[in-house]
Amino acid sequence: MTGDALTPQHGPGTDATPDQNPDTPRPSGDAPIEAASETYSHMVWRLFKSNRIAMLGLTILGLMYILAVFAPFIANRFPFIWRAVPKPDTTLNQTDLDTLAGIMSPEQLQSLRAHTGNTETDSTHNAVPVTVFPLFTQFIEPKETIDRVFNLMAVFWFGMMFYLPIMALHKKRILLSWTVKRHAIVSLVATGAVLIAGLTFRGPDFSAYDNTPQSAPFDRFFNVAVLTGILLLIYPILKAGEWKNRLRAWTLPRHLSAISILVAGLLIAGYGHAPVRDTGFNKLNALQKYEVHLFDLFGFFWIIMTLYHLKRIPRFAARLKTWSFGMHSGLSAVAAIILALVAGTTQTSRHFRADRWFTISKAGKMDAMSYYDMYTNDPFYKNDPNTFALFTPIKYGPLEDRTLEKLQPPLITGNAIKSVKRVNPADTRRRLLGTDDRGRDVAARMLYGTRISLSIGFVAVGIATFIGLIVGSLAGYYGGWLDIMISRIIEIVICFPTFFLILTIIAVLNPSLFNIMIIIGFTSWTGIARLVRGEILKLRRQDFVIAARALGLPNSRIIFRHILPNALGPVFVSVSFGVAGAILTESGLSFLGIGVPSPAPTWGEALRQAQQNIDKAWWLVTFPGIAIFLTVTAFNLVGDGLRDAMDPRLKR
Amino acid sequence: MGAYVIKRLLLTIPMMIGITLITFLVIALGPSKSPEEGLNQNARQADRKSTSRRTPRMRKVFGKDYPNNSLLNQYGNWVSNAVRGNFGESLVDGLPVIDKIKAALPVTLFFNVLTIVMVYLLSIPLGIFSSTHRQSKLDKVITFVLYLLYSLPTFWVAILLIRYVGSRSTGLGWFPYNGIHPEGYEYMTTVANYLGSVKYIVLPVICMVYGSFAGLSRYTRSAMIDVVNQDYIRTARAKGVSETVVIYKHALRNALIPLVTLLGGLLPGLIGGSVIIEQIFGIPGMGRMGYKAVMDKDLTLIMTTTTFIALLTMIGILLSDLLYAVVDPRISFEGNAT
């Protein structure tokens, strides 16, 4: 780990790794005395960091997270395309074709006509594609939300790179291990690359699910802009250090003023220039119209809130100072607004959106002709100096099924490649981890499966924690008949073999990604509830609670502000193990064929196929299992590390 | 003690009501009443074909005017029938549910009891060994391996075992992995049948044992270490008691106390996990039957299976509570039974 060298130096008494001499347990007062100068969270983190195995688990999780976030950049059947001249939409009408005849060679034109499958005008495909900011709509389409969330994270990451150099200008140390200068250079380069890529490459629709041309493209420009704004909002809070200060930072006008005007401006600017305004607003359905209105309203609300906050600063000079204080955010605000404007006003608004670089109306054609074939072997693209396609390392999507190429062995078995059947003989691509029984790429599916597993783990456990915290604290704090009732309910749910309950619920509900999350969440809260109840029972009689009650504080405040924060430690540990359990449950369900519905690339589903082809495909048996195992182990390691760090006396 | 047992047994009544009521409501209030929204093709076909056959079968347990009476009435009828031992007929094939349970329950019971016995037999010695050889290389290896075992997904291990140990074409072909009876068992003598079955249960039992075994061994180790650090152990050693006696007489007996309580916690997980194991190895137990019932939306069978599984779990938990009192004489249940 890079952080190892930076671990704070402390006395020899605590520096010794506990594994070396646990036979002579350290006096339990040792750590607290040392910790007197540091906060509890810092102490936990220091102890956690000194535990190498736990850090290994954390590293694995970090890598998993990175893989999940950047999955579309690693495995994608769509290339990133450089196009100097606007590539014609293949749903062109005759007028467009005539226009193109002026800039294209006859061969190219011929090839284009061949690809569209027909030369006559197909009026159904002539509608101008309507783009709506997809963030909101997608929450209504559960199938793709997870991908959207992870894509937003990817963009967030890029936004980070965009913001960091500006921070570096202010000579602020951003990461402990990096010098400011080096960081500034790297992130400037990265930012430049992202900007150039964003403006010139027409990327794919980053979705694990089928990339039909009709699906709304992921509009990176708005997302970069808006997310930069959100980032600016969050960043000062993260910089503020302790949680106490972070919470205060939310309410400081100086942070809100500059930044929220920026965000509001971005929202409105982005939407003002969105093509829905001038072309297709009336073509939207009611829901999408609401969405646009909602975002407008949100923007205006934000501006009003900002003005209100500014008004709370007494002197005009102070208000100005506010701006200069937030100059770093102001600078990047300007840049972000420009970016948003550029994205909204230039060529993008018309042809970038209308330009679907792959819109073949005859869907059947796609099976025979892959995108890869198209961009590498087709004369139209191959000989076109203006078109350049850059493929990701794994050139297959998670849902791209080629039944002819089913059960191909992975790359490392080398010799078997010769006997492999191919849809297109000229296609020389190799499968890194083989294919499954529908000819889908295992590596791509496993990558996208990371997204599903991680999100199910976190969301399900989030739900469980939420319920458990509330129920447990109610039972523990109030006691009496409420406690008895809740304890009985918990006992009932514990007696219930959870897996069977989940089965029953799934049988009557439709198993979708979100239903699975909710079901796992609603059936696994009992452990946390019990834990919290016990902790609160312990804390309830302590002096600080009695003092709080003597002050006349309401019960809700005593519970949530005084008791719960002190009871949270074990909950974190339990969450870490809970995520591992939820991932196991989900893959078990998918293994039985009742998890996330079929086309979704889950690890459990891959193992299901392994069971069906158990004598034929060792790669289906091995790799998904390793993925599940690694993730679960990593979460368990982190949980163990956290537990040891939170209560060093437990360590043996 | 006796009063506690009675109280505890009485407590199972509301718990059984709670569990069956939850199951009943989940199914009865579930949104996918229409066949189109059903889960799998089988259920859909079964729904379409047998709607006419299902209703009279439902009426036998859920009341004479079944689809029209209230949910509470339906549930009440089911309870009063179930108490009298009438669990009705399976909605799919019309066989009495209780017969199905009679066939499946012993299988599951056998596997679970065997698993628990093996888990305890294996993990306690291992836990003692690694606690007495603490920080030795072997202990570290054991701890590491147990940790890995603990996180291995059961179904993956099952598939790996089938492929590399069970399968004849790709593995060693040592153990058969489909079902629990040898071929042609109908014509065998009982003894031959049982002897033949031994080979069949090896792989599933390995799968069921290893996870709990890993967890329990780690727990035993830490419980032992906890006890060994206590003052009375030091006193015993100071008296000059031999190390064997210290470990097995003074330490182990005290370390057993928390282990006994874990028995109750093991059970729900084992039974839940047996759904997958029984499915993979084709074992005709409760898990597999329950899974099939759920897939077919066989309401009577689901209710009965759930009842019996919950009953099993509760008996297990009760047993572990009672054992707790046996192992630790200091504990009395009088006064603080709840």
Side-chain angles (χ1 to χ4, degrees):
Chain A
M1 287 304 298
T2 48
D4 269 1
L6 295 151
T7 310
Q9 292 299 311
H10 30 260
T14 50
D15 206 7
T17 49
D19 287 341
Q20 287 166 357
N21 55 349
D23 276 327
T24 54
R26 286 176 279 132
S28 59
D30 195 358
I33 290 167
E34 224 279 333
S37 56
E38 58 183 347
T39 61
Y40 181 61
S41 55
H42 280 91
M43 187 197 77
V44 168
W45 175 234
R46 175 169 58 74
L47 288 175
F48 187 86
K49 259 200 304 197
S50 66
N51 185 345
R52 258 188 242 154
I53 300 174
M55 281 310 276
L56 176 74
L58 202 63
T59 316
I60 293 174
L61 287 186
L63 288 176
M64 289 262 175
Y65 174 76
I66 291 175
L67 284 181
V69 165
F70 290 104
F73 298 92
I74 303 169
N76 210 314
R77 67 167 160 162
F78 297 97
F80 293 86
I81 297 168
W82 167 274
R83 213 159 37 268
V85 293
K87 191 197 87 60
D89 190 342
T90 40
T91 60
L92 301 165
N93 55 28
Q94 198 54 47
T95 348
D96 288 338
L97 281 175
D98 289 344
T99 324
L100 285 169
I103 51 173
M104 278 186 178
S105 66
E107 295 83 44
Q108 282 182 355
L109 208 60
Q110 190 55 41
S111 170
L112 176 68
R113 283 170 187 273
H115 273 299
T116 52
N118 54 351
T119 47
E120 75 269 7
T121 320
D122 187 352
S123 63
T124 53
H125 290 279
N126 271 341
V128 177
V130 174
T131 308
V132 186
F133 184 62
L135 182 67
F136 209 70
T137 324
Q138 294 311 321
F139 278 110
I140 301 156
E141 295 173 8
K143 247 189 152 183
E144 294 188 2
T145 308
I146 284 314
D147 287 307
R148 298 289 165 189
V149 172
F150 275 103
N151 290 338
L152 288 180
M153 285 182 192
V155 176
F156 183 82
W157 209 298
F158 286 141
M160 208 57 185
M161 291 175 172
F162 170 68
Y163 183 66
L164 288 175
I166 294 156
M167 287 304 290
L169 285 179
H170 286 255
K171 303 280 191 294
K172 289 197 173 152
R173 285 186 63 146
I174 293 139
L175 293 176
L176 288 174
S177 54
W178 283 28
T179 62
V180 176
K181 201 173 157 193
R182 205 195 315 163
H183 201 95
I185 293 169
V186 170
S187 50
L188 265 178
V189 169
T191 307
V194 169
L195 283 183
I196 291 168
L199 287 171
T200 50
F201 286 91
R202 180 72 178 93
D205 182 12
F206 299 145
S207 168
Y209 297 94
D210 212 3
N211 263 315
T212 55
Q214 281 76 27
S215 66
F218 184 45
D219 198 327
R220 267 156 286 108
F221 300 106
F222 291 127
N223 289 337
V224 167
V226 171
L227 279 159
T228 313
I230 293 172
L231 175 79
L232 293 178
L233 195 68
I234 295 169
Y235 200 77
I237 296 156
L238 294 180
K239 290 295 288 182
E242 286 178 42
W243 276 109
K244 206 167 52 185
N245 290 341
R246 280 179 208 173
L247 286 178
R248 202 179 295 150
W250 271 106
T251 53
L252 277 185
R254 64 163 184 249
H255 286 304
L256 276 184
S257 57
I259 297 155
S260 56
I261 279 190
L262 158 74
V263 173
L266 285 177
L267 286 170
I268 291 175
Y271 278 90
H273 291 281
V276 291
R277 279 276 176 270
D278 37 87
T279 55
F281 188 73
N282 289 329
K283 288 177 187 163
L284 299 177
N285 62 32
L287 201 65
Q288 289 165 324
K289 278 183 187 170
Y290 273 122
E291 180 189 331
V292 175
H293 288 315
L294 205 84
F295 267 89
D296 280 353
L297 275 179
F298 184 54
F300 284 120
F301 172 75
W302 207 309
I303 284 188
I304 290 165
M305 283 304 287
T306 311
L307 292 178
Y308 171 74
H309 273 294
L310 272 183
K311 205 173 146 252
R312 282 174 58 190
I313 305 172
R315 285 170 297 115
F316 184 71
R319 284 181 210 173
L320 275 184
K321 211 173 157 193
T322 307
W323 281 96
S324 66
F325 182 91
M327 197 179 75
H328 53 269
S329 49
L331 268 177
S332 45
V334 172
I337 287 178
I338 289 173
L339 186 66
L341 291 181
V342 165
T345 50
T346 55
Q347 50 179 343
T348 54
S349 64
R350 186 79 180 105
H351 87 250
F352 245 54
R353 283 153 216 278
D355 168 12
R356 302 299 170 77
W357 44 272
F358 210 82
T359 323
I360 280 192
S361 50
K362 297 272 186 289
K365 278 220 167 276
M366 274 324 298
D367 294 336
M369 211 52 183
S370 76
Y371 295 91
Y372 184 82
D373 300 332
M374 182 145 180
Y375 286 109
T376 49
N377 299 324
D378 189 273
F380 173 65
Y381 294 94
K382 205 176 173 184
N383 304 327
D384 182 4
N386 294 322
T387 307
F388 171 70
L390 182 72
F391 277 90
T392 50
I394 297 167
K395 302 177 187 68
Y396 294 90
L399 297 186
E400 184 183 6
D401 53 341
R402 315 176 122 206
T403 36
L404 205 67
E405 300 181 11
K406 69 177 181 185
L407 293 179
Q408 279 190 20
L411 188 61
I412 50 173
T413 51
N415 58 346
I417 293 290
K418 281 176 222 147
S419 62
V420 154
K421 284 188 221 157
R422 286 192 182 283
V423 174
N424 177 9
D427 185 354
T428 53
R429 286 176 290 170
R430 290 177 164 201
R431 305 283 190 158
L432 184 63
L433 300 182
T435 60
D436 64 8
D437 64 357
R438 282 175 219 161
R440 297 175 296 197
D441 192 72
V442 173
R445 285 180 74 73
M446 278 177 56
L447 260 179
Y448 283 86
T450 317
R451 291 180 158 197
I452 291 179
S453 281
L454 286 187
S455 51
I456 282 192
F458 279 112
V459 176
V461 173
I463 294 172
T465 312
F466 183 74
I467 301 174
L469 275 180
I470 290 189
V471 170
S473 46
L474 285 182
Y477 185 76
Y478 289 105
W481 62 269
L482 192 67
D483 184 25
I484 292 173
M485 210 178 73
I486 290 176
S487 303
R488 279 292 92 73
I489 293 177
I490 291 176
E491 271 179 42
I492 289 178
V493 179
I494 283 178
C495 270
F496 221 116
T498 321
F499 199 77
F500 207 77
L501 179 64
I502 293 173
L503 275 188
T504 315
I505 299 175
I506 285 174
V508 291
L509 285 179
N510 288 326
S512 72
L513 185 60
F514 282 82
N515 281 346
I516 302 273
M517 286 174 179
I518 291 168
I519 291 168
I520 296 180
F522 270 84
T523 49
S524 56
W525 53 270
T526 46
I528 290 175
R530 271 182 141 186
L531 204 73
V532 173
R533 176 175 167 270
E535 285 290 312
I536 286 186
L537 277 181
K538 244 187 337 195
L539 292 169
R540 194 169 59 158
R541 303 261 171 254
Q542 300 235 330
D543 287 346
F544 69 94
V545 178
I546 295 168
R549 202 174 296 150
L551 282 172
L553 295 182
N555 280 333
S556 59
R557 195 178 166 86
I558 296 177
I559 293 177
F560 291 110
R561 297 295 294 273
H562 292 260
I563 299 183
L564 259 191
N566 286 300
L568 274 184
V571 174
F572 281 121
V573 178
S574 178
V575 161
S576 184
F577 291 125
V579 173
I583 289 174
L584 269 183
T585 310
E586 183 274 326
S587 38
L589 288 174
S590 297
F591 178 76
L592 286 177
I594 49 177
V596 186
S598 176
T602 60
W603 293 338
E605 200 261 341
L607 278 179
R608 179 182 171 74
Q609 294 198 357
Q611 196 206 352
Q612 284 157 3
N613 304 293
I614 196 155
D615 289 340
K616 291 178 230 156
W618 62 266
W619 56 95
L620 279 177
V621 179
T622 323
F623 301 121
I626 290 175
I628 299 175
F629 170 61
L630 262 186
T631 318
V632 171
T633 313
F635 274 109
N636 282 339
L637 285 174
V638 170
D640 271 350
L642 260 184
R643 186 176 51 198
D644 290 347
M646 290 211 172
D647 194 351
R649 278 166 302 173
L650 278 178
K651 189 170 248 186
R652 17 188 102 87
Chain B
M1 187 77 185
Y4 173 74
V5 173
I6 291 169
K7 200 170 178 184
R8 199 57 216 246
L9 282 174
L10 284 179
L11 262 179
T12 55
I13 294 172
M15 286 172 75
M16 287 307 296
I17 291 176
I19 289 172
T20 48
L21 190 62
I22 290 173
T23 313
F24 177 75
L25 288 182
V26 161
I27 299 166
L29 298 176
S32 61
K33 281 276 179 184
S34 67
E36 280 73 26
E37 283 178 324
L39 192 72
N40 63 0
Q41 205 64 36
N42 286 347
R44 254 176 258 165
Q45 280 176 355
D47 268 5
R48 261 190 230 111
K49 273 188 197 163
S50 64
T51 316
S52 54
R53 258 181 267 154
R54 281 182 173 225
T55 317
R57 282 171 189 161
M58 293 283 272
R59 280 187 185 150
K60 285 184 186 167
V61 274
F62 290 102
K64 277 179 187 139
D65 42 356
Y66 153 64
N68 304 319
N69 52 355
S70 70
L71 283 181
L72 201 67
N73 192 346
Q74 290 175 19
Y75 178 71
N77 281 326
W78 183 85
V79 170
S80 74
N81 276 318
V83 167
R84 277 175 276 162
N86 172 21
F87 290 97
E89 297 165 353
S90 163
L91 298 188
V92 175
D93 49 16
L95 295 175
V97 166
I98 198 74
D99 287 355
K100 290 192 165 193
I101 300 276
K102 268 182 196 160
L105 191 60
V107 178
T108 300
L109 215 55
F110 169 73
F111 271 100
N112 280 306
V113 169
L114 182 64
T115 306
I116 287 176
V117 169
M118 287 189 64
V119 164
Y120 273 87
L121 280 185
L122 288 174
S123 58
I124 290 178
L126 195 71
I128 293 171
F129 176 83
S130 46
S131 67
T132 49
H133 296 75
R134 206 163 8 142
Q135 301 308 320
S136 69
K137 268 203 182 123
L138 196 56
D139 172 44
K140 279 183 180 163
V141 170
I142 289 174
T143 314
F144 181 70
V145 170
L146 287 181
Y147 204 96
L148 294 189
L149 279 183
Y150 184 67
S151 320
L152 277 174
T154 327
F155 42 96
W156 187 42
V157 173
I159 294 178
L160 285 179
L161 282 178
I162 288 179
R163 186 180 159 92
Y164 293 108
V165 181
S167 169
R168 256 165 224 214
S169 55
T170 53
L172 303 167
W174 285 355
F175 301 107
Y177 50 88
N178 207 358
I180 51 169
H181 294 297
E183 278 174 42
Y185 69 97
E186 296 95 336
Y187 312 107
M188 289 181 182
T189 59
T190 325
V191 177
N193 190 354
Y194 281 136
L195 286 179
S197 295
V198 170
K199 269 207 298 192
Y200 282 76
I201 62 170
V202 171
L203 292 186
V205 165
I206 290 177
C207 287
M208 289 178 85
V209 164
Y210 81 89
S212 317
F213 157 68
L216 207 70
S217 300
R218 291 174 60 202
Y219 202 88
T220 312
R221 179 174 178 270
S222 60
M224 277 297 282
I225 292 173
D226 243 4
V227 171
V228 167
N229 286 337
Q230 299 282 326
D231 287 342
Y232 57 83
I233 298 293
R234 200 182 307 145
T235 314
R237 283 192 180 131
K239 280 194 303 187
V241 179
S242 76
E243 189 62 23
T244 326
V245 177
V246 167
I247 294 297
Y248 289 99
K249 199 166 175 191
H250 293 77
L252 179 62
R253 288 192 180 183
N254 286 295
L256 276 181
I257 298 169
L259 290 181
V260 167
T261 45
L262 273 188
L263 179 66
L266 275 179
L267 262 176
L270 269 181
I271 292 176
S274 66
V275 175
I276 291 180
I277 295 292
E278 290 179 5
Q279 192 68 21
I280 295 175
F281 289 101
I283 299 164
M286 295 287 277
R288 193 167 184 234
M289 192 178 69
Y291 174 73
K292 199 171 169 301
V294 164
M295 291 300 106
D296 292 343
K297 292 202 195 147
D298 192 345
L299 186 53
T300 47
L301 192 52
I302 296 175
M303 292 289 285
T304 319
T305 317
T306 316
T307 313
F308 274 89
I309 287 179
L311 210 60
L312 215 64
T313 319
M314 263 184 301
I315 290 172
I317 292 174
L318 183 64
L319 272 182
S320 81
D321 275 6
L322 294 181
L323 270 180
Y324 198 38
V326 172
V327 179
D328 190 354
R330 287 170 301 183
I331 288 174
S332 85
F333 290 110
E334 319 302 330
N336 54 352
T338 53

